[in-house]
């Protein structure tokens, strides 16, 4: 986790998983009700909202806004 990340944890079962093995979240990334799997990358200023999933070794570009319930498949950018 870099400086100024924003994370919100829900009791609905969503899991930002800030302790995942070797995942990286850039400065000002917003993680809200999402799942970030092991070895995933979330770029600076990216926004992940409810139901979004970044699978193992998936990459979300800096500043990327995606719709709710979007999935970034393993190994894809």
């Amino acid at each position: 986790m870099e400086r100024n990340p924003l994370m919100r944890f829900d009791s609905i079962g969503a899991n930002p998983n800030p302790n995942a093995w070797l995942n990286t979240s850039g400065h000002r990334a917003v993680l809200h009700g999402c799942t970030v799997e092991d070895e995933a990358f979330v770029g600076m200023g990216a926004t992940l909202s409810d139901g979004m999933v970044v699978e193992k070794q998936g990459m979300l570009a800096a500043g990327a806004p995606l719709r709710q319930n979007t999935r970034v498949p393993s190994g894809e950018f």
Side-chain angles (χ1 to χ4, degrees), residues 23-49:
N23 73 9
T24 302
S25 296
H27 302 286
R28 296 180 290 110
V30 177
L31 308 176
H32 180 276
C34 61
T35 300
V36 179
E37 295 183 356
D38 294 346
E39 300 176 19
F41 175 85
V42 177
M44 295 186 300
T47 301
L48 284 82
S49 60

Side-chain angles (χ1 to χ4, degrees), residues 6-10 14 16 30-34 48-52:
L6 174 62
M7 296 185 294
R8 180 174 182 271
F9 296 86
D10 289 331
V30 177
L31 308 176
H32 180 276
C34 61
L48 284 82
S49 60
D50 296 339
M52 293 180 65

